[in-house]
């Protein structure tokens, strides 16, 4: 008998054009364990490079990418700032290319580039533009395809560290899933390079925990996906705001835009965007595992519940939030391994990420889309196409 994933057989996913997306979501815990192994194998290289970086005075740290790759940086800038007091900026490669004078300045800079395929024209061009505009620039390339243009170009540089995620993380499905989680966890660990063995151990704990909970999260996602909604709003504070943007793009990608998605922080959503809520709307409230942020998340979730007029409300939070609020239509609860530092948002991030992926996949299937290639017109592609990069000096096309 064929093994089931998320309540369905692989034959079901093949018939519905979802075999890659389903298996790539399901395989993430195993890939996190391989990511931990890779980080330990590269411990000396990572420590040497990071020691050098952290000693650079007035170093500007930029995370960059496009689409989901960029949203990793939006999460990490909050997460690492809270944990370590590190100031990071997230600047999308698309902005580096199209408005370089507004975002690149000649100060010592560490550019952290994320890429699933490593073949997006913006990725390599962002590295090239940074080299041209900044005298002292360093690179960390975190990529899922070790033979990509981005990875190979960076290997030729003395000022770069290239980290290739485990085989299998370069998702074949349209949406980025395992690539996002592996690159996020790797970033978390490399900035804790002085305790990298401990943090690699945390990856193993998160993987074991996710394996135990994933089917429960999938069942909740299935129940929610069966509802009829055309608008979905993802809400989160701190690192979970970056995740809300990632969840937003997943909802739109996998429904080919049928479900229109938005994202915000709960505090910001009151200031105008709240007007989008109607009887076709579902709001997903990521509840922070940090006390200072959680109180604001709860306040706004309670406000939306009080004002309900046909819209659906879902809260997603760790076990301790289970009895802090009532009245939502669905309550999604997960646990974080005890050994994960209480001051870290990573446990909340990784569980909420899994739920967001599962709900987006389940809704895609419920709507009848071929989830692995949902774009019916073919005008949106797994690797972006149609991009022309222009030379910084004379404006001539260079690729």
């Amino acid at each position: 008998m064929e093994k089931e994933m998320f309540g369905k057989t692989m034959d079901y996913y093949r018939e519905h054009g979802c075999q890659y997306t389903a298996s790539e979501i399901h395989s993430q815990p195993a890939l996190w364990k391989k990511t931990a192994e890779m980080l330990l194998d590269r411990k000396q290289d990572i420590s040497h490079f990071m020691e050098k970086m952290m000693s650079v005075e007035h170093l500007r740290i930029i995370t960059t990418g496009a689409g989901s790759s960029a949203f990793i940086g939006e999460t990490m800038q909050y997460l690492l700032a809270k944990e370590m007091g590190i100031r990071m900026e997230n600047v999308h490669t698309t902005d580096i290319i199209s408005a370089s004078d507004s975002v690149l300045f000649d100060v010592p800079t560490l550019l952290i580039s994320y890429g699933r395929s490593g073949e997006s024209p913006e990725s390599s061009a962002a590295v090239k533009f940074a080299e041209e505009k900044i005298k002292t620039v360093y690179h960390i390339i975190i990529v899922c395809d070790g033979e990509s243009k981005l990875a190979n170009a960076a290997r030729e540089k003395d000022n770069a560290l290239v980290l290739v995620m485990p085989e299998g993380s370069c998702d074949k499905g349209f949406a980025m899933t395992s690539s996002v989680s592996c690159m996020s966890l790797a970033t978390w660990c490399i900035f804790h390079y002085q305790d990298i063995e401990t943090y690699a151990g945390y990856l193993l704990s998160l993987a074991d925990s996710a394996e135990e909970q994933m089917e429960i999260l999938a069942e909740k996602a299935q129940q929610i996906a069966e509802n009829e909604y055309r608008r979905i709003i993802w809400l989160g504070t701190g690192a979970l705001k970056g995740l809300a943007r990632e969840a937003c793009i997943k909802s739109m990608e996998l429904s080919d835009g049928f479900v229109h998605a938005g994202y915000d922080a709960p505090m910001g959503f009151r200031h105008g965007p709240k007007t989008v809520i109607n009887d076709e709307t579902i709001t997903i409230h990521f509840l922070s595992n940090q006390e200072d942020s959680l109180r604001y998340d709860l306040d706004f979730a309670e406000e939306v519940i009080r004002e309900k007029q046909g819209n659906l409300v879902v809260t997603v939070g760790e076990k301790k939030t289970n009895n802090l609020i009532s009245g939502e239509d669905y309550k999604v609860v997960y646990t974080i391994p005890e050994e994960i530092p209480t001051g870290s948002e990573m446990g909340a991030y990784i569980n909420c990420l899994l739920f967001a992926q599962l709900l987006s996949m389940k809704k895609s299937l419920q709507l009848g889309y071929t989830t692995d290639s949902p774009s019916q017109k073919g005008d949106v592609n797994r690797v972006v196409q149609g991009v022309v990069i222009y030379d910084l000096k004379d404006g001539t096309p260079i690729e």
Side-chain angles (χ1 to χ4, degrees), residues 342-362:
T342 57
S344 175
E345 296 176 89
M346 182 54 79
Y349 166 79
I350 211 70
N351 280 283
C352 291
L353 174 64
L354 289 175
F355 172 74
Q357 294 171 350
L358 287 163
L359 179 58
S360 300
M361 179 187 75
K362 292 287 189 178

Side-chain angles (χ1 to χ4, degrees), residues 139-183:
H139 303 276
I140 297 178
I141 307 296
I142 303 180
V143 67
C144 298
D145 184 349
E147 297 305 316
S148 62
K149 179 187 290 188
L150 179 61
N152 287 328
R155 284 195 184 96
E156 301 171 1
K157 302 181 185 299
D158 294 332
N159 58 342
L161 173 69
V162 179
L163 295 177
V164 180
M165 298 300 99
E167 184 177 357
S169 65
C170 190
D171 316 296
K172 295 180 180 179
F174 179 83
M176 290 177 62
T177 54
S178 59
S179 52
V180 170
S181 60
C182 287
M183 290 191 285

Side-chain angles (χ1 to χ4, degrees), residues 61-335:
I61 303 176
I62 300 174
T63 56
T64 194
S68 291
S69 294
F71 308 150
I72 295 169
E74 292 195 15
T75 292
M76 298 312 298
Q77 68 176 348
Y78 284 102
L79 190 147
L80 290 172
K82 183 170 184 63
E83 287 188 21
M84 308 182 71
I86 293 175
R87 182 177 179 180
M88 304 174 73
E89 302 169 59
N90 183 249
V91 183
H92 295 207
T93 54
T94 47
D95 293 324
I96 290 176
I97 299 311
S98 60
S100 58
D101 287 342
S102 300
V103 296
L104 295 181
F105 307 103
D106 192 13
V107 297
T109 300
L110 170 62
L111 187 68
I112 305 173
S113 299
Y114 299 104
R116 173 174 65 173
S117 68
E119 296 294 341
S120 296
E122 300 100 327
S123 297
S124 299
V127 171
K128 180 178 185 295
F129 283 18
E131 292 275 345
E132 291 181 13
K133 294 185 72 68
I134 304 169
K135 293 187 183 71
T136 304
V137 61
Y138 308 93
H139 303 276
I140 297 178
I141 307 296
I142 303 180
V143 67
C144 298
D145 184 349
E147 297 305 316
S148 62
K149 179 187 290 188
L150 179 61
N152 287 328
R155 284 195 184 96
E156 301 171 1
K157 302 181 185 299
D158 294 332
N159 58 342
L161 173 69
V162 179
L163 295 177
V164 180
M165 298 300 99
E167 184 177 357
S169 65
C170 190
D171 316 296
K172 295 180 180 179
F174 179 83
M176 290 177 62
T177 54
S178 59
S179 52
V180 170
S181 60
C182 287
M183 290 191 285
S184 298
L185 290 166
T187 306
W188 187 47
C189 290
I190 64 175
F191 273 91
H192 288 281
Y193 64 96
Q194 293 175 319
D195 299 302
I196 199 163
E197 294 95 343
T198 299
Y199 277 77
Y202 294 157
L203 266 58
L204 303 183
S205 298
L206 288 168
D208 289 340
S209 177
E211 287 173 343
E212 294 173 2
Q213 299 181 84
M214 200 179 296
E215 293 295 335
I216 298 170
L217 293 176
E219 184 177 345
K220 279 287 188 180
Q222 179 65 51
Q223 294 170 11
I224 296 165
E226 289 171 359
N227 290 277
E228 299 299 324
Y229 54 86
R230 290 295 305 268
R231 299 179 182 181
I232 186 168
I233 308 298
W234 299 87
L235 300 162
T237 303
L240 299 184
K241 181 184 177 184
L243 172 59
R245 190 166 187 185
E246 165 61 13
C248 170
I249 198 173
K250 286 291 162 289
S251 297
M252 289 192 287
E253 284 178 332
L254 295 186
S255 70
D256 196 26
F258 179 86
V259 176
H260 183 76
Y263 79 99
D264 211 329
M267 291 289 285
F269 193 64
R270 287 190 179 98
H271 292 258
K274 186 180 171 185
T275 58
V276 304
I277 296 179
N278 61 15
D279 60 5
E280 291 186 302
T281 306
I282 181 170
T283 54
I284 312 286
H285 302 254
F286 291 139
L287 303 179
S288 177
N289 67 325
Q290 303 298 302
E291 293 295 335
D292 55 344
S293 296
L294 176 61
R295 57 178 65 100
Y296 294 101
D297 295 343
L298 293 172
D299 283 351
F300 187 68
E302 290 171 346
E303 178 179 314
V304 177
I305 291 168
R306 285 195 307 271
E307 297 174 353
K308 274 184 61 178
Q309 292 184 333
N311 52 296
L312 295 173
V313 179
V314 177
T315 58
V316 186
E318 65 169 316
K319 192 173 182 180
K320 73 177 184 181
T321 67
N322 195 30
N323 299 316
L324 297 180
I325 192 171
S326 62
E328 64 269 73
D329 296 283
Y330 297 93
K331 188 189 297 283
V332 181
V333 178
Y334 57 84
T335 59

